[in-house]
Amino acid sequence: LHPGAWTRLPCVSRGDRQQSLQRMNFGALSWEDWIASDEDPSETPMNVREWMKTNEIKPTELISGVLHKSCRMIVGGKSKSHKSWALIDMAISIASGKPWIGFETVKSRVILVNMEIHRSFLQERIASILKAKGITEDDLADNFYLLQRRGVPASADEVAKLIHKTVHRLGDVAC
């Protein structure tokens, strides 16, 4: 939503509609409570001796020796070096459990966030990769989702929130 959607001025007209308060008595009760609620526990230093006693569990490997669930991977290269093709291929490979450029994958749910490719060209690319890999749309089952954001202006924070909401709604997903 646009930030203006969060503001209300009671008894003021906006066009032919009169504004009203949507909600009261929510949020932090004081400035101190608000500051405390905004703290990130990961910013609190932890004694290494204590931390080493915790039982950290490794996330599931999505691409053998390359990528774990909830971890990040950056694909870089010059313009027109087929980065998008590689990422679409990676998403299809993980969604189907088929190897990706020679690396074994674990079949998992995937969301491909498209922010640049026209829908018709994306369809062609997906169809081309499916054909080349000998995969059908049925092989992807309910594991491959698209979040179309091309031509939809939004800040990085807004896109991140949308991705998190979508992942939460779909359940266990590797973005």
Side-chain angles (χ1 to χ4, degrees):
L1 289 176
H2 184 275
W6 296 108
T7 61
R8 293 287 181 261
L9 300 170
C11 303
V12 172
S13 295
R14 181 178 278 173
D16 60 346
R17 296 175 57 198
Q18 187 169 3
Q19 295 186 32
S20 62
L21 288 177
Q22 300 295 305
R23 199 165 150 203
M24 292 179 61
N25 301 323
F26 68 98
L29 299 176
S30 69
W31 176 258
E32 290 78 19
D33 289 343
W34 182 77
I35 291 294
S37 71
D38 198 37
E39 288 181 7
D40 183 348
S42 66
E43 293 176 5
T44 306
M46 186 176 207
N47 181 292
V48 171
R49 278 180 293 168
E50 295 302 315
W51 180 72
M52 291 300 286
K53 294 175 187 173
T54 64
N55 185 21
E56 298 294 332
I57 299 169
K58 287 184 181 178
T60 304
E61 225 175 15
L62 294 174
I63 303 171
S64 182
V66 177
L67 182 66
H68 290 78
K69 186 174 182 169
S70 78
C71 294
R72 307 292 181 260
M73 183 171 96
I74 297 174
V75 176
K78 65 180 186 168
S79 177
K80 304 298 178 197
S81 61
H82 302 289
K83 298 179 297 289
S84 296
W85 281 92
L87 292 171
I88 295 166
D89 183 22
M90 180 174 64
I92 289 171
S93 297
I94 293 171
S96 64
K98 304 291 184 187
W100 178 65
I101 60 170
F103 294 96
E104 293 300 315
T105 66
V106 173
K107 189 172 186 172
S108 303
R109 295 172 94 187
V110 176
I111 297 176
L112 178 65
V113 182
N114 176 33
M115 298 185 71
E116 66 171 313
I117 304 168
H118 190 280
R119 289 173 182 238
S120 62
F121 297 128
L122 182 59
Q123 279 183 335
E124 286 178 358
R125 288 184 186 191
I126 290 172
S128 178
I129 292 168
L130 290 174
K131 183 178 178 183
K133 291 177 98 56
I135 298 172
T136 67
E137 293 169 23
D138 290 335
D139 293 330
L140 300 176
D142 288 328
N143 285 339
F144 190 46
Y145 295 86
L146 290 170
L147 188 55
Q148 298 284 3
R149 299 295 298 174
R150 182 183 190 273
V152 182
S155 70
D157 285 344
E158 290 171 321
V159 173
K161 286 177 186 174
L162 177 62
I163 292 169
H164 285 284
K165 283 174 29 177
T166 304
V167 167
H168 180 73
R169 191 174 71 244
L170 291 174
D172 192 30
V173 178
C175 290

